[in-house]
Amino acid sequence: MLQIPNQKLKEILIKEDLISAENFDKLAVESKRMGQNMADVLISQGVIKPNYFYTLVAKYVGVELVNLGGQAIEEKTLRKLSEDLARQKRALIFKEESDGTLSVAMEDPSDLATIEFLEKNLKVKIKPFLVTSDDLNRGFAFYGRHLTEDFKQIIEENIQASLRKKIGDVKEAAKDVPIVAIIDNILSYAISLQASDIHIEILESLILIRYRIDGVLHEIIRMPKEVHPAIVARIKLLGDLKIDEHLKPQDGRFRHKIGPDMIDIRISIIPVFYGEKVEMRLLPSTQRPLSMEELGILEDTRKIIEENIKKTYGMVLVCGPTGSGKTTTLYSILNILNRPEVNIVTIEDPIEYDIKYVNQTQINPLAGITFATGLRSILRQDPNIIMVGEIRDEETAEISVHSALTGHLVLSSLHTNDAATAVPRLVDMKVVPFLVAATLNVSIAQRLVRKICLNCIESYAADKGTAAFLEKQLKEVNPQSKLTVPKFLYRGKGCAVCHNTGYRGRNGIYEVLSIDEEIRKLIIKPEFSLSDLNDVAKKKGMITMFEDGLRKAALGMTTVEEVLRVIRE
């Protein structure tokens, strides 16, 4: 991300009345301590929005800010620069002027060396434009318009080459060029599609490769069953796992380089009926924790969360099923709380992002480090804030609650469907109700919804049937709701950028239950009822996940179909 010198940025923001000089100086010190650039700190703290910062940068550098989503990029123009080179230089050609000048979207349009390199190699004049990092990454998807056919052809060629060789030893096959090429292309293609997971599944007569993109699984390619042992062996080799172990589950991880980017890949291999199934989770190793705004948390919800995480003790729980973004939310909260005057220690499974000045511990059952034993050790490290990746059992729940009771702020996650169910879930883990009431500060439930592709978004008037259905759903979910069904809704038509799905990326829908005195009294009642707790919370103004989703559908952030899909799941 291109930067404005701190002093100039300070002058601009003070002039715009967005921050005081004192607060800017404090954040500048924090920026230096964290090793983050000033823009990332300002964005994560909610001082400025990413788009506003890029507008300031464009003015400072003296170039135009371009939105690639609104550009009709011709294939011939795009491919004047190869995809590898475009990714390496973080530059993309999006337009050719009548005089031959090429308009190039750049992450850093002040990079004269790159401009000179392009002019020299392309033998034309270059006109640089500023583009946001996210928009540039979306722009690279234009290269993928014919990528599916190329990918399948490359895979097919390497499969045939592997089958022709007929290598008997699976360890040797795992190092053979065709198998190496197959795995590299599976990973590269997944990264280009911004997939979060790769599933390699062995069926009776074939291998099925599926990618999870924006939370939904898509079948990508089928392969002959004969190459399965070599493919699994190659992945085991990369993850430093036992190649000759086929009857026990194995977990590992490795790093894969794509252009200038490094991706952390977490591996899980389990034995199934016809062989071994592989699941690979893709984690960008350089990704910073997102701000609450970037997570999709609206202002009223954000204020409730911020009030509760300012407390010096108690529990903050993030609830939802597997894959609902709980860990990402916890990292966002940790990033806000990460200050010089506090000691933060975590116990995680696994450590997904490395956060500077946070002491992160990975559980290791073979070494005797579980959530419970690790948490006991953490308490001897003089922590102010503790993050427990997940409360899974009675022992972890007990230690977490007692930690919160004795002056520590404890962050953790629970597998529950909504915010209120965190209370009976803890009670089921043998935590006494009065301790739940005394320690729980806030319970946040969430799901992930796909965002509408901004390149092909369109509005439409909700028909009477849709409006009546949504009105009925709203009354069923929360009879006290003050929301109204929007007259206009949004959807994505489908385009090359979103691979004709109408969606690009994901953010959250949230339900936040803040625990006050009235709710504490309700929790410790002998005749405690979950429905009573939900009713009281709604009367006190709690916005349910469906309501939050409906608000975001009205803002054009997602579709009502997407909200209903994840709520029903």
Side-chain angles (χ1 to χ4, degrees):
M1 183 187 286
L2 182 59
Q3 296 301 304
I4 301 175
N6 279 7
Q7 189 56 39
K8 184 66 179 176
L9 184 57
K10 180 180 179 180
E11 290 171 12
I12 295 169
L13 297 181
I14 291 173
K15 187 178 178 181
E16 295 289 328
D17 201 26
L18 290 171
I19 195 171
S20 67
E22 183 184 0
N23 283 340
F24 187 94
D25 291 340
K26 283 181 181 177
L27 290 179
V29 172
E30 185 67 7
S31 164
K32 190 173 181 180
R33 184 183 78 89
M34 295 290 292
Q36 294 180 352
N37 61 57
M38 192 62 187
D40 281 341
V41 172
L42 289 167
I43 291 167
S44 67
Q45 294 293 327
V47 176
I48 57 174
K49 296 182 179 181
N51 288 343
Y52 175 73
F53 177 74
Y54 278 102
T55 303
L56 292 180
V57 171
K59 286 182 182 177
Y60 179 76
V61 179
V63 298
E64 294 178 48
L65 180 65
V66 67
N67 172 20
L68 291 178
Q71 302 292 324
I73 305 176
E74 294 182 5
E75 189 79 20
K76 182 182 174 183
T77 302
L78 178 75
R79 294 196 178 273
K80 285 180 181 293
L81 190 64
S82 70
E83 183 179 1
D84 285 345
L85 205 52
R87 288 183 180 273
Q88 182 185 335
K89 298 295 184 182
R90 299 296 291 169
L92 183 140
I93 302 171
F94 66 91
K95 189 178 179 183
E96 184 173 8
E97 303 292 345
S98 56
D99 64 356
T101 300
L102 296 178
S103 297
V104 180
M106 300 177 65
E107 206 170 50
D108 182 2
S110 67
D111 183 357
L112 298 178
T114 294
I115 294 172
E116 186 180 339
F117 171 85
L118 294 175
E119 288 184 334
K120 184 178 179 181
N121 283 270
L122 299 175
K123 296 181 173 56
V124 292
K125 183 174 173 55
I126 297 295
K127 184 180 179 181
F129 288 76
L130 177 66
V131 66
T132 69
S133 298
D134 288 342
D135 196 19
L136 183 60
N137 289 332
R138 284 192 290 267
F140 289 142
F142 285 111
Y143 283 101
R145 284 182 286 204
H146 302 296
L147 189 60
T148 302
E149 291 79 7
D150 296 344
F151 167 73
K152 289 182 178 177
Q153 184 181 344
I154 292 167
I155 293 292
E156 183 61 32
E157 288 171 359
N158 282 289
I159 287 171
Q160 295 306 321
S162 178
L163 293 175
R164 282 195 298 271
K165 287 199 172 186
K166 294 182 180 178
I167 299 174
D169 185 359
V170 74
K171 290 183 181 179
E172 289 301 314
K175 299 174 185 176
D176 197 41
V177 172
I179 294 299
V180 171
I182 287 171
I183 296 302
D184 284 349
N185 278 281
I186 287 172
L187 291 171
S188 300
Y189 189 46
I191 291 163
S192 72
L193 295 180
Q194 296 186 332
S196 62
D197 298 83
I198 301 170
H199 292 255
I200 301 176
E201 303 169 42
I202 177 70
L203 306 180
E204 184 178 6
S205 57
L206 55 89
I207 306 169
L208 181 64
I209 309 287
R210 297 196 290 170
Y211 293 168
R212 188 176 295 280
I213 304 169
D214 293 334
V216 178
L217 277 172
H218 299 266
E219 182 178 325
I220 301 300
I221 196 169
R222 297 181 176 208
M223 299 185 189
K225 188 177 181 179
E226 288 76 15
V227 296
H228 180 259
I231 284 175
V232 174
R234 175 65 187 167
I235 293 167
K236 286 179 177 178
L237 197 65
L238 290 169
D240 197 24
L241 303 178
K242 295 177 181 177
I243 292 178
D244 55 354
E245 177 58 75
H246 305 289
L247 301 178
K248 292 180 181 178
Q250 294 191 72
D251 296 319
R253 65 191 304 156
F254 66 95
R255 283 192 164 188
H256 182 72
K257 199 173 191 316
I258 278 284
D261 302 320
M262 193 69 76
I263 305 294
D264 280 326
I265 299 172
R266 194 174 80 210
I267 310 167
S268 172
I269 301 177
I270 61 168
V272 292
F273 191 75
Y274 292 108
E276 291 177 283
K277 179 187 180 298
V278 179
E279 201 281 342
M280 291 187 280
R281 170 68 56 89
L282 311 180
L283 303 163
S285 60
T286 56
Q287 184 169 327
R288 63 173 173 82
L290 300 176
S291 67
M292 288 196 186
E293 185 179 2
E294 290 172 300
L295 292 177
I297 300 176
L298 299 180
E299 187 176 358
D300 53 357
T301 306
R302 189 181 75 237
K303 284 180 178 176
I304 296 170
I305 295 172
E306 286 175 346
E307 284 171 10
N308 281 285
I309 64 176
K310 284 177 183 175
K311 296 174 182 176
T312 56
Y313 66 91
M315 291 182 74
V316 175
L317 296 179
V318 182
C319 307
T322 301
S324 60
K326 299 186 296 296
T327 303
T328 303
T329 300
L330 286 172
Y331 275 117
S332 177
I333 293 171
L334 271 187
N335 194 49
I336 293 169
L337 295 172
N338 189 6
R339 304 183 306 275
E341 62 269 21
V342 295
N343 176 25
I344 303 175
V345 190
T346 75
I347 177 80
E348 305 173 55
D349 180 29
I351 296 171
E352 293 193 11
Y353 304 120
D354 176 23
I355 305 181
K356 202 168 185 180
Y357 300 111
V358 173
N359 304 286
Q360 297 171 269
T361 308
Q362 166 81 49
I363 76 162
N364 183 354
L366 293 176
I369 304 173
T370 63
F371 279 122
T373 59
L375 187 50
R376 277 202 175 91
S377 299
I378 283 172
L379 288 171
R380 293 191 283 272
Q381 288 288 319
D382 185 32
N384 299 101
I385 298 166
I386 300 168
M387 188 183 95
V388 183
E390 183 186 338
I391 297 177
R392 296 177 180 171
D393 52 58
E394 294 176 13
E395 190 178 8
T396 308
E398 180 188 5
I399 303 167
S400 298
V401 167
H402 281 284
S403 301
L405 200 62
T406 54
H408 304 92
L409 183 65
V410 178
L411 314 176
S412 192
S413 67
L414 271 181
H415 282 267
T416 67
N417 287 326
D418 57 32
T421 309
V423 173
R425 181 79 182 101
L426 288 173
V427 173
D428 284 345
M429 291 184 185
K430 304 294 186 284
V431 179
V432 183
F434 82 84
L435 287 179
V436 176
T439 56
L440 187 58
N441 292 343
V442 64
S443 175
I444 307 162
Q446 66 178 79
R447 298 289 190 281
L448 292 178
V449 292
R450 290 180 289 174
K451 294 190 289 187
I452 299 173
C453 174
L454 296 178
N455 187 51
C456 60
I457 188 171
E458 65 176 7
S459 64
Y460 66 98
D463 60 66
K464 289 183 180 178
T466 301
F469 174 77
L470 291 175
E471 189 69 44
K472 182 183 175 186
Q473 286 287 113
L474 194 55
K475 288 195 183 304
E476 286 179 2
V477 169
N478 188 0
Q480 286 85 27
S481 179
K482 296 177 183 178
L483 284 181
T484 56
V485 174
K487 292 180 181 178
F488 291 92
L489 296 169
Y490 298 86
R491 63 192 169 201
K493 289 186 290 186
C495 64
V497 172
C498 62
H499 305 286
N500 293 311
T501 62
Y503 297 99
R504 188 71 174 172
R506 289 189 292 174
N507 61 21
I509 57 174
Y510 300 87
E511 176 178 293
V512 178
L513 173 63
S514 184
I515 311 297
D516 60 14
E517 284 308 310
E518 185 179 350
I519 290 177
R520 291 186 204 283
K521 289 176 183 176
L522 199 64
I523 292 171
I524 61 175
K525 276 188 176 181
E527 64 278 12
F528 169 81
S529 162
L530 182 59
S531 60
D532 288 346
L533 177 56
N534 266 312
D535 289 343
V536 170
K538 289 170 187 175
K539 284 176 185 174
K540 294 174 78 66
M542 183 183 77
I543 295 169
T544 63
M545 274 187 285
F546 177 74
E547 291 172 280
D548 194 43
L550 195 59
R551 294 194 300 175
K552 284 165 184 171
L555 291 169
M557 296 169 70
T558 189
T559 63
V560 288
E561 291 83 5
E562 186 67 6
V563 173
L564 291 169
R565 179 184 71 85
V566 300
I567 294 293
R568 284 169 179 167
E569 284 180 353

